[in-house]
Amino acid sequence: MDNKVKFNTKNLDLFYGDFQALKSINMEICENEVTAFIGPSGCGKSTFLRCLNRMNDLIDCVDIKGEIIFDGKDINGDIDVINLRTRVGMVFQKPNPFPMSIYDNIAYGPKCQGLKDKAKLDTIVKDSLERAALWDEVKDRLNKSALGLSGGQQQRLCIARTIAMNPEVILMDEPTSALDPIATLKIEDLMQSLKKLYTIIIVTHSMQQAGRISDKTAFFLMGEVIEFNETPKIFTNPDDKRTEDYITGRFG
């Protein structure tokens, strides 16, 4: 049985001033799957990822045409953007924990939403850290600064911080590019377990990573989606020669 469609993008164009960064993107992203975006630098992967929670709103002179339907509504229409970014959380390339305790990093979002009940906050912190596979490593140092964690732990903390807001989708923009191979493997294992609960969309420069962790892969080139399909098909029997050339290392 196919999973329900979470995002449906229709004829999406994006311009930075006169420069067209995305060209007629049409894509259905299903829930409870890992969807990977691959392609050379500057091809539009991260730009498209940022469209899905309207992070491009923060950039001047961006013009977006077309639709991005999320659970039946066009997110570029009249919607509550803060609510959208709560439902569609984001983890960035470099770990960016707040300069506060591990506990307060996780509790920060729920507190901002008005939650003051200490017992409920304790539960959210524990649950989020457990889901991010970090609880056992930090449970005895929750009041210590998050900046004292290793890079891989900091990135899992950022994932836990996102989880604490109870999102439906987690966007990840090259979440392991700053990490060593062991920390990278932990994050990849984590994504596999998290997709049971969330929809995960990841931009990655590593084709090996896309092949290991994703259910579907989109290959971007110069602002276009050249091919989007089940990951094994993209990697073993792509329909487009440009996809094959990129995956086999002939360019990129």
Side-chain angles (χ1 to χ4, degrees), residues 98 107-115 121 165:
F98 303 140
Y108 182 83
K111 279 180 177 173
C112 285
Q113 291 190 321
L115 184 62
L121 286 169
M165 298 302 290

Side-chain angles (χ1 to χ4, degrees), residues 9-239:
T9 305
K10 299 178 182 178
N11 301 319
L12 185 78
D13 294 322
L14 182 142
F15 296 83
Y16 294 123
D18 295 333
F19 174 69
Q20 187 168 2
L22 294 175
K23 300 167 188 170
S24 195
I25 308 288
N26 292 282
M27 190 185 300
E28 290 186 349
I29 296 172
C30 293
E31 66 180 10
N32 301 113
E33 290 184 349
V34 178
T35 301
F37 299 162
I38 62 169
S41 293
C43 65
K45 308 181 296 289
S46 292
T47 297
F48 181 55
L49 190 78
R50 290 196 301 266
C51 287
L52 300 178
N53 69 346
R54 285 190 44 180
M55 289 290 277
N56 290 313
D57 287 15
L58 308 172
I59 303 169
D60 289 337
C61 69
V62 167
D63 184 27
I64 296 175
K65 297 182 169 70
E67 294 180 310
I68 302 176
I69 308 299
F70 173 56
D71 278 354
K73 277 193 173 168
D74 184 1
I75 66 169
N76 290 315
D78 183 20
I79 61 151
D80 180 340
V81 177
I82 292 171
N83 177 51
L84 173 69
R85 291 185 189 143
T86 301
R87 295 173 66 195
V88 184
M90 190 150 193
V91 176
F92 295 92
Q93 185 170 357
K94 287 203 175 90
N96 59 343
F98 303 140
M100 52 180 74
S101 74
I102 293 167
Y103 182 98
D104 286 337
N105 261 272
I106 310 297
Y108 182 83
K111 279 180 177 173
C112 285
Q113 291 190 321
L115 184 62
K116 295 186 174 67
D117 185 314
K118 178 79 167 65
K120 284 185 179 163
L121 286 169
D122 288 350
T123 301
I124 288 171
V125 169
K126 183 170 188 282
D127 286 351
S128 301
L129 287 167
E130 281 180 339
R131 285 185 185 176
L134 191 58
W135 174 252
D136 288 340
E137 293 167 49
V138 302
K139 64 184 182 212
D140 299 324
R141 50 197 280 213
L142 294 176
N143 295 318
K144 297 263 174 48
S145 170
L147 302 178
L149 297 172
S150 72
Q153 288 173 324
Q154 286 187 8
Q155 193 63 301
R156 279 182 283 147
L157 179 77
C158 293
I159 293 170
R161 192 173 66 196
T162 302
I163 289 170
M165 298 302 290
N166 198 26
E168 297 161 44
V169 180
I170 301 176
L171 309 178
M172 297 187 172
D173 194 357
E174 294 191 49
T176 62
S177 65
L179 304 180
D180 64 66
I182 291 169
T184 294
L185 197 58
K186 284 191 171 169
I187 301 273
E188 290 182 4
D189 288 345
L190 179 55
M191 282 189 249
Q192 290 298 306
S193 63
L194 288 177
K195 77 175 184 182
K196 300 183 189 88
L197 301 164
Y198 312 98
T199 303
I200 295 176
I201 307 167
I202 176 173
V203 168
T204 178
H205 265 306
S206 165
M207 283 181 282
Q208 292 82 1
Q209 182 171 69
R212 284 192 298 264
I213 62 165
S214 67
D215 299 287
K216 294 199 179 91
T217 297
F219 170 53
F220 283 74
L221 187 63
M222 298 178 72
E224 296 180 65
V225 174
I226 302 300
E227 195 163 346
F228 177 55
N229 215 320
E230 307 280 340
T231 295
K233 167 113 177 56
I234 290 279
F235 279 90
T236 58
N237 188 26
D239 292 328

